[in-house]
Amino acid sequence: MSEILKGLNPPQLEAATHTSSSILVLAGAGSGKTKVLTTRIAWLIQTGQINAFELLAVTFTNKAAKEMLLRITTILPINSRGMWVGTFHGLCNRLLRTHYKEANLPQTFQILDSSDQLSLIKRIMKSQSIDEVRYPFRQAQYFINSHKEEGLRPEKVELIDDFSRTFLEVYLEYDRACRNEGVVDFAELLLRSYELLLQNERLLKHYQQRFKHVLVDEFQDTNKLQYAWLKLIANQGACVMAVGDDDQSIYAFRGAHSGNMLNFETDFAVDKVVKLEQNYRSLGNILDGANALIKNNDGRLGKNLWTDQGEGEPIRVYRAMTDGEEASFIIEEIQALKNAGADLKNIALLYRSNAQSRVLEHNLFRSGLPYKVYGGLRFFERQEVKHALAYLRLIANDNDDGALLRIINFPTRGIGNRTIEQIRDSAELSGASLWQAACAARLSGRAKSAVSNFVTLIEKIKADTHGFLLPDLIEHVVDKSGLTEHYRKDREGKDRIENLNELINAASVFVSERTSSAYVEEPYPDADGGDANTAEIDPLIEFLAHASLEAGDNQANAGEDALQLMTVHSAKGLEFHSVFISGLEEGLFPHENSINEHGGLEEERRLMYVAMTRAMRRLYLSHSQMRMLHGQTRYNIESRFIDEIPENLLKKINHVEPSVNNSFSTSYAGSQKTENTVSGFRIGQQVTHAKFGPGVIVQAEGQGADARLEVNFREVGRKWLALEYAKLSST
């Protein structure tokens, strides 16, 4: 056996060495799928079945792509240059950069991130005098992106009502503006790439013949357009390995189509399905609990995670009276884990909704435990960084209207809204870019001088930095633009200046990585059958694309040991020694919106499955009978997800039931119109009804034969019941 293949278990070995046809790999959480993917790539190259240029590997994060390349180069002494390994967006950007002419794009096209896209949509809607209250900007953004992800240009969109008609008009104007400015959004990268291949048979054939093996990670998260793109690329007999887990499909709100995994078996004539079920992350009780939970979903492809590492400790379940009490319990347990030697960075506190973090953060602050909110504002999304990038974008492409609007009066240089409106009007009348309009603007007085100074500034920076290395160029721009001086006067300017300096550092690292691992292309035949030369991409253009595509995380201070707070969605792909899942209440997790959505409850259950399988050694589940959320007190019952875990796997840690005279009475029930107890029943008490099932008492009135209770039932919502006839039982 090859040294490369040593250490693989039998299913992993089968998946890594299968070559006769396309294959579907059902890879459970913690089952070593990254190892299988990288081993397969290295094995294919080592055995001479393909060279590095003949492989296409798709990941869902830049981090995963970098990790995969690092592992491959560690296994094999090969140069990764020329390998097509990256995200869908990254690979499509690469394709469009290489064939920008065929794609009808300028060579210097820029990528709009989500906030830049929203800014452009706002400008368009304001120019069309569209009521932003009735037609929200973000809804227009969703309308555009969702249709692009379905592969639909404006002319193919079906009109349902006047509402969609208005958004379609925005889509049409937005599409025109992007083409004029030479910019593309994330969805456009994929759609334009798909159209490029679909409409250019010669180009399509080139790549179909080139890529003999295609590997796709996190296949369950692909949307319809991504799936269509893959089908196009691999349509000439390429051997495709799709690796995914239908039980971890949690991105339907982003357009992910879990049905792609079922379609894959038919569309690619799959005759082999390999299941990776041995888990190397979690102990037995955690896996058994997750398996029992997910079995309640229908239509699964089916697998059962197991481990040889032992059962471990039971899953701890804590039932609190209030959300504050729940937070206190969590913090006490974290303190105990820390005192026992656990690193805080290896402990995660998960919640379904960002709104839940408030009470947790408040209690953490009081306790003095260091923490960070994972997945917060990314480096390249910080205000000062985006300003600097806008200057760079305008230098690279003076038709970039969005970049110009961001910086034309930042730092303040006396160019007001009225002047900007005049420039925009001039641009619309002449069909020119805002830069062209600014250069030719017929203004007077202070406005003329201010705009002229701005134009001169940009032109001088362009001239002065010609031939500069990328880090030196950015340093010059940060200095001469006035950004450093501006933030030096700002109260919070120190941190912002540090971020600007970090941007220069980021450019230095980028140049270094680009030099050692930048991709190169095989010659692509021109129309006459010869080799067409591919011009090297300008480092600035490439860096700006990198900044837009980069999926960095909001990190704590370097070297700081901190507790990790995050939503369950953000936890996907991560693992921790100990995991706390808070707020396990009906209406919160599963979310109340899921009940009325097709497949919503099953997606919530998959989300819970993902949350549970993040834990390696310890798993805590907690819920509260009462919770302050969105300014209101909510009375809750325990999540059905806890009920779906076998009792023998659980260790319930229940609080001592409070008396009617304690703080619960005064803090929470004092505002109610009746006493806290009625005939032995208490507000906040969990009860069961023979017809309506489990619920929690939220209000009470009357005494004796006139006593009534309002119960919030899990399945049927709130109902008033006459206690004399209700026949409630306590739980």
Side-chain angles (χ1 to χ4, degrees):
M1 180 184 291
S2 168
E3 286 291 324
I4 290 175
L5 303 177
K6 286 186 176 180
L8 299 180
N9 64 38
Q12 289 176 333
L13 180 63
E14 184 179 15
T17 58
H18 181 85
T19 59
S20 59
S21 62
S22 294
I23 180 174
L24 176 62
V25 181
L26 291 179
S31 62
K33 66 178 177 68
T34 304
K35 183 179 182 179
V36 169
L37 283 165
T38 53
T39 301
R40 178 175 176 81
I41 293 172
W43 180 76
L44 287 169
I45 296 173
Q46 187 194 52
T47 56
Q49 298 181 59
I50 60 170
N51 62 52
F53 285 90
E54 296 173 329
L55 179 135
L56 176 70
V58 187
T59 65
F60 263 77
T61 65
N62 290 318
K63 181 181 177 182
K66 290 177 181 178
E67 182 182 351
M68 188 174 291
L69 285 171
L70 179 62
R71 289 197 187 189
I72 293 168
T73 53
T74 302
I75 297 172
L76 284 181
I78 63 171
N79 191 338
S80 62
R81 299 180 69 190
M83 294 185 68
W84 280 57
V85 179
T87 65
F88 277 105
H89 292 123
L91 293 173
C92 287
N93 172 62
R94 180 171 176 174
L95 183 68
L96 294 175
R97 296 288 177 192
T98 305
H99 305 286
Y100 66 93
K101 289 182 180 178
E102 294 95 329
N104 295 316
L105 287 168
Q107 188 176 11
T108 58
F109 74 84
Q110 299 296 309
I111 301 171
L112 295 178
D113 63 17
S114 183
S115 63
D116 288 331
Q117 182 192 34
L118 187 61
S119 296
L120 176 55
I121 291 169
K122 286 180 179 178
R123 294 193 338 248
I124 290 169
M125 294 180 70
K126 286 179 179 179
S127 69
Q128 296 179 340
S129 301
I130 296 174
D131 183 3
E132 63 184 90
V133 177
R134 186 179 179 188
Y135 303 97
F137 298 136
R138 290 194 179 277
Q139 199 162 340
Q141 184 180 33
Y142 174 79
F143 180 91
I144 293 169
N145 289 339
S146 61
H147 282 95
K148 282 190 177 186
E149 288 168 358
E150 291 285 330
L152 300 175
R153 291 292 183 190
E155 59 272 14
K156 294 183 179 179
V157 174
E158 293 185 10
L159 294 177
I160 304 172
D161 48 31
D162 289 340
F163 201 72
S164 60
R165 188 182 303 277
T166 298
F167 282 140
L168 179 58
E169 291 173 0
V170 176
Y171 187 5
L172 281 162
E173 182 60 25
Y174 171 82
D175 199 45
R176 185 197 65 79
C178 287
R179 292 177 187 275
N180 288 345
E181 294 182 28
V183 297
V184 299
D185 54 48
F186 287 134
E188 182 70 20
L189 283 173
L190 193 63
L191 181 55
R192 187 69 66 97
S193 296
Y194 176 74
E195 292 172 341
L196 171 67
L197 295 174
L198 191 65
Q199 298 165 8
N200 193 319
E201 185 176 352
R202 198 169 136 273
L203 190 64
L204 175 61
K205 189 176 181 181
H206 169 77
Y207 284 104
Q208 286 177 337
Q209 292 176 345
R210 172 176 176 172
F211 297 125
K212 294 180 173 59
H213 281 267
V214 178
L215 299 89
V216 189
D217 193 12
E218 304 289 0
F219 195 79
Q220 77 279 351
D221 294 332
T222 54
N223 61 34
K224 290 182 179 180
L225 185 57
Q226 290 165 341
Y227 186 65
W229 188 85
L230 287 167
K231 283 178 66 178
L232 210 54
I233 287 280
N235 196 37
Q236 294 298 312
C239 191
V240 183
M241 173 187 274
V243 182
D245 183 1
D246 57 323
D247 291 333
Q248 297 190 73
S249 180
I250 60 173
Y251 294 118
F253 67 96
R254 293 183 186 172
H257 185 58
S258 59
N260 286 345
M261 294 192 74
L262 291 170
N263 296 335
F264 178 76
E265 292 189 66
T266 304
D267 293 340
F268 289 84
V270 173
D271 58 9
K272 174 64 71 174
V273 177
V274 177
K275 297 181 181 181
L276 305 184
E277 297 176 297
Q278 184 174 358
N279 180 281
Y280 296 92
R281 175 188 299 158
S282 307
L283 295 177
N285 284 333
I286 296 171
L287 296 179
D288 290 346
N291 287 331
L293 172 94
I294 204 64
K295 282 179 181 176
N296 290 279
N297 275 2
D298 297 325
R300 297 174 60 234
L301 295 174
K303 66 181 183 313
N304 198 65
L305 296 180
W306 63 275
T307 183
D308 59 5
Q309 300 181 67
E311 293 182 350
E313 300 178 21
I315 300 169
R316 291 166 168 83
V317 180
Y318 183 73
R319 173 185 172 188
M321 181 61 69
T322 68
D323 50 0
E325 184 182 293
E326 179 191 27
S328 295
F329 165 77
I330 291 171
I331 290 167
E332 287 172 8
E333 287 294 309
I334 292 171
Q335 288 278 22
L337 290 169
K338 184 174 183 291
N339 294 338
D343 292 331
L344 290 176
K345 65 183 179 183
N346 292 325
I347 303 173
L349 175 48
L350 310 184
Y351 37 82
R352 177 63 180 85
S353 168
N354 274 310
Q356 292 171 246
S357 74
R358 183 197 61 81
V359 66
L360 297 168
E361 290 192 63
H362 179 68
N363 283 269
L364 283 167
F365 177 78
R366 290 195 302 175
S367 73
L369 275 175
Y371 71 94
K372 69 173 183 177
V373 180
Y374 185 91
L377 198 62
R378 298 170 181 168
F379 175 78
F380 288 112
E381 294 174 341
R382 295 170 187 169
Q383 181 202 84
E384 59 279 10
V385 175
K386 287 187 73 70
H387 285 321
L389 290 174
Y391 276 99
L392 295 170
R393 284 168 51 191
L394 193 61
I395 289 168
N397 174 17
D398 54 24
N399 289 324
D400 191 333
D401 289 354
L404 182 143
L405 287 173
R406 173 177 279 276
I407 60 170
I408 191 171
N409 197 43
F410 194 93
T412 304
R413 52 177 59 90
I415 302 175
N417 291 333
R418 176 60 186 150
T419 302
I420 295 172
E421 284 180 17
Q422 287 179 271
I423 294 171
R424 290 176 65 175
D425 290 342
S426 176
E428 288 181 10
L429 284 172
S430 61
S433 68
L434 292 180
W435 171 260
Q436 292 167 330
C439 293
R442 296 179 180 178
L443 303 168
S444 58
R446 292 176 59 185
K448 180 180 180 180
S449 175
V451 173
S452 177
N453 289 341
F454 172 70
V455 170
T456 301
L457 171 67
I458 300 300
E459 293 284 14
K460 185 170 179 12
I461 290 175
K462 275 187 185 181
D464 291 347
T465 57
H466 181 72
F468 274 31
L469 295 175
L470 182 63
D472 297 334
L473 186 156
I474 295 176
E475 185 176 8
H476 187 87
V477 167
V478 168
D479 181 31
K480 299 303 179 182
S481 64
L483 290 173
T484 301
E485 187 60 29
H486 171 81
Y487 288 119
R488 195 172 280 125
K489 300 172 183 175
D490 191 28
R491 217 168 83 178
E492 302 175 352
K494 184 180 177 182
D495 290 340
R496 297 190 185 277
I497 291 173
E498 287 179 358
N499 283 332
L500 289 173
N501 291 332
E502 188 57 32
L503 181 64
I504 300 168
N505 295 337
S508 299
V509 173
F510 176 81
V511 169
S512 175
E513 292 179 347
R514 182 178 184 269
T515 303
S516 61
S517 62
Y519 60 77
V520 293
E521 294 297 335
E522 288 185 324
Y524 172 71
D526 61 21
D528 298 323
D531 288 344
N533 294 321
T534 303
E536 182 163 345
I537 301 171
D538 186 319
L540 174 58
I541 300 299
E542 203 173 347
F543 179 73
L544 290 170
H546 162 77
S548 295
L549 293 167
E550 180 63 35
D553 300 314
N554 181 36
Q555 300 296 330
N557 295 330
E560 184 179 1
D561 185 33
L563 176 69
Q564 311 288 304
L565 268 68
M566 68 192 75
T567 64
V568 180
H569 279 103
S570 297
K572 176 77 183 299
L574 304 176
E575 61 182 31
F576 304 92
H577 177 278
S578 301
V579 171
F580 293 79
I581 309 173
S582 62
L584 280 165
E585 299 136 27
E586 289 292 309
L588 193 56
F589 198 4
H591 196 275
E592 56 194 357
N593 293 341
S594 68
I595 307 300
N596 301 319
E597 295 175 355
H598 177 70
L601 184 58
E602 294 204 339
E603 174 129 345
E604 288 289 298
R605 188 173 284 111
R606 291 194 294 270
L607 196 57
M608 179 66 180
Y609 177 83
V610 167
M612 293 177 69
T613 54
R614 300 310 94 195
M616 301 167 67
R617 293 294 181 266
R618 278 200 178 192
L619 177 60
Y620 294 81
L621 313 178
S622 63
H623 61 100
S624 170
Q625 289 184 296
M626 288 178 293
R627 179 177 304 278
M628 288 294 294
L629 202 61
H630 308 301
Q632 297 181 335
T633 301
R634 297 175 52 151
Y635 299 89
N636 308 298
I637 58 175
E638 180 181 279
S639 170
R640 69 189 72 199
F641 296 155
I642 296 177
D643 296 339
E644 292 171 358
I645 302 171
E647 285 279 343
N648 65 297
L649 302 176
L650 304 177
K651 180 180 180 180
K652 295 192 175 182
I653 314 170
N654 292 327
H655 64 81
V656 178
E657 295 286 351
S659 68
V660 297
N661 294 319
N662 71 358
S663 59
F664 160 64
S665 304
T666 56
S667 300
Y668 285 91
S671 62
Q672 301 294 332
K673 57 186 177 182
T674 60
E675 298 178 2
N676 294 310
T677 59
V678 173
S679 301
F681 290 96
R682 182 188 71 255
I683 294 176
Q685 183 178 353
Q686 295 193 25
V687 294
T688 300
H689 187 272
K691 180 179 179 181
F692 303 132
V696 63
I697 300 172
V698 296
Q699 289 197 72
E701 64 182 24
Q703 290 291 334
D706 297 323
R708 294 201 315 153
L709 301 175
E710 187 183 18
V711 183
N712 186 14
F713 291 104
R714 175 185 294 173
E715 302 293 343
V716 297
R718 295 191 175 205
K719 290 186 177 293
W720 278 99
L721 303 174
L723 192 56
E724 185 177 3
Y725 307 106
K727 295 182 179 179
L728 293 172
S729 59
S730 60
T731 59

